[in-house]
Structures are given as structure tokens and as C-alpha cells.
Amino acid sequence: MNKVIVFTGASHGIGAATAKLAAARGYAVCVNYLKNHAAAQSIADEITASGGVAIAVAADVSLDAEVQRLFQIVDEQFGSITALVNNADILEQQMRVDEMDGARLNRIFASNVIPYFLCAKEAVKRMSNRYGGSGGAIVNASSAASRLGSAGEYVDYAASKGAIDTLTFGLSKEVISEAIRVNAVRPAFIYTDIHADGGEAGRVDCLKSTIPMQRVAPP
């Protein structure tokens, strides 16, 4: 069986690092991105230069039609997928809950929750033996914030990751008998650009003393 994997939000950080690792392990890789074509294409180019197979595909994965188009492109280029990594998310400026407005909350949940559902739907329709598929795996990017709450910083982001944990539990039970495994990973402090989006680029270095090994992980 061909190994085909779709990564959402794979133009940087953990998504990019994992996409390159998957390619090294024999997967044909779709690098999904929203706006940064140059970054996504550079990841795809790096993979192909190393002898792997990759394409970069722009799609707003919060929209049904865009998600369907993304998966159709992968169908045409590689065949049906065998793995999905839901990784696209955003973080906004640090603030308390009593300072947040509805527009911010809509942005967070539209970017961090809806895409995971829509992409999982398309993946299940291709991988599930209920639909004639041969099985596969879905990995959802959660966060340690889902357990910690991120008080005084971004409770909205933490809550969106709590939703991803619940999606993971529920979907895993729905499709395990259909030859699909669903899991989540909860990264803690990693050197990525997302902390700058929250307004504190050096946040992980400030907090690494709270980690038993006293160090932060690279993507």
C-alpha cells in the first residue's frame, strides 16, 4: 500500500519538521498552507531534493469546499491518503478572558477546531473500510495548554485544544473498528514562531526552568 500523508499547517514549526521526517520514512507528503506559499514550497522542495515526494497545496481548511479541493488534489496526485496530521492552528495576543471579544473567539475556534473536523471527515471517507478504504491513521496536534488552561494568557487557545482532545477521544472510538487509529500529541514548550504570535517571543526560555530537564525542545 502506498503511504500518503496530508499535513495541515505544515509550512513551519512542528508541522514542517514532521513532514520532512514522514518523507524520510517513505510517505508521499502534501504540505498544506494558508498564505505563506514560499515557506510551504521550500519544505516541499527540500523533501524532493532529498529524494522524497511532496507537493504544497494552498487551502483554507476552515471551509468545506477548500478542504474537499485539497483532498481531491491529493487523490489525483498521489491516490487515497493513509495518514492525516491535523496541525493548523493560531494563537492571538495574550490577554485575560474578560478582555476577549467575540471576533477573537470566532477566529480561534474557526481556525483551531473546525479544520480538524473537516479534514478528519475527508480522511475517514478515504481510509475507512466502511467506504472501501484500507485503513490509516489520524494524528491531531493538541497542546499541554488543554490541561493547564493558560490562565492570564490565552484561555481561548487552551479551550480550543481541549476541544481537540475531545474530538480525538470520540473519533477514535467511532472509527477504530474501521481500521483507523486516531491519536493526539500534546507538545509542551517547543521553539516555534507561535509564541511571537502571542506577544512573547521569548516565552519558552522564560519558562524552561519549570521543565525537569531545564531545556526546551526543537520542532
Side-chain angles (χ1 to χ4, degrees):
M1 179 173 62
N2 293 330
K3 299 197 297 184
V4 178
I5 190 165
V6 173
F7 284 87
T8 66
S11 63
H12 59 279
I14 294 172
T18 314
K20 289 186 282 188
L21 179 61
R25 294 186 176 178
Y27 283 87
V29 175
C30 172
V31 179
N32 161 251
Y33 67 98
L34 179 58
K35 295 179 180 178
N36 196 337
H37 169 76
Q41 190 61 53
S42 71
I43 299 300
D45 289 345
E46 184 175 342
I47 289 171
T48 55
S50 299
V53 178
I55 56 173
V57 180
D60 183 343
V61 288
S62 69
L63 302 175
D64 281 284
E66 289 282 286
V67 171
Q68 291 166 13
R69 182 180 60 81
L70 167 65
F71 279 80
Q72 286 167 0
I73 290 172
V74 175
D75 290 340
E76 293 165 3
Q77 295 281 326
F78 298 145
S80 291
I81 72 167
T82 54
L84 164 69
V85 177
N86 273 319
N87 179 68
D89 61 15
I90 64 169
L91 184 70
E92 300 220 354
Q93 289 288 306
Q94 294 174 349
M95 64 176 60
R96 289 165 47 101
V97 170
D98 51 17
E99 299 172 317
M100 296 177 185
D101 60 21
R104 170 184 168 128
L105 297 175
N106 281 324
R107 288 192 300 272
I108 288 291
F109 285 93
S111 298
N112 294 4
V113 179
I114 291 174
Y116 285 56
F117 276 84
L118 296 181
C119 290
K121 170 187 173 181
E122 294 301 318
V124 168
K125 288 167 67 176
R126 287 160 171 79
M127 296 191 290
S128 170
N129 57 29
R130 180 182 184 185
Y131 296 97
S134 301
I138 296 172
V139 177
N140 295 323
S142 182
S143 170
S146 70
R147 295 183 297 106
L148 302 174
S150 299
E153 296 180 325
Y154 22 74
V155 174
D156 53 348
Y157 175 84
S160 74
K161 292 304 182 180
I164 297 312
D165 289 351
T166 302
L167 165 63
T168 302
F169 287 131
L171 183 60
S172 68
K173 294 176 182 179
E174 278 190 359
V175 299
I176 187 60
S177 64
E178 299 168 19
I180 302 174
R181 291 171 291 110
V182 184
N183 292 278
V185 292
R186 286 198 192 116
F189 300 127
I190 311 293
Y191 285 118
T192 71
D193 294 338
I194 197 170
H195 304 289
D197 295 338
E200 190 179 358
R203 180 172 184 269
V204 293
D205 284 321
C206 294
L207 295 174
K208 68 182 179 183
S209 62
T210 64
I211 301 171
M213 294 183 74
Q214 307 285 299
R215 70 184 189 216
V216 178

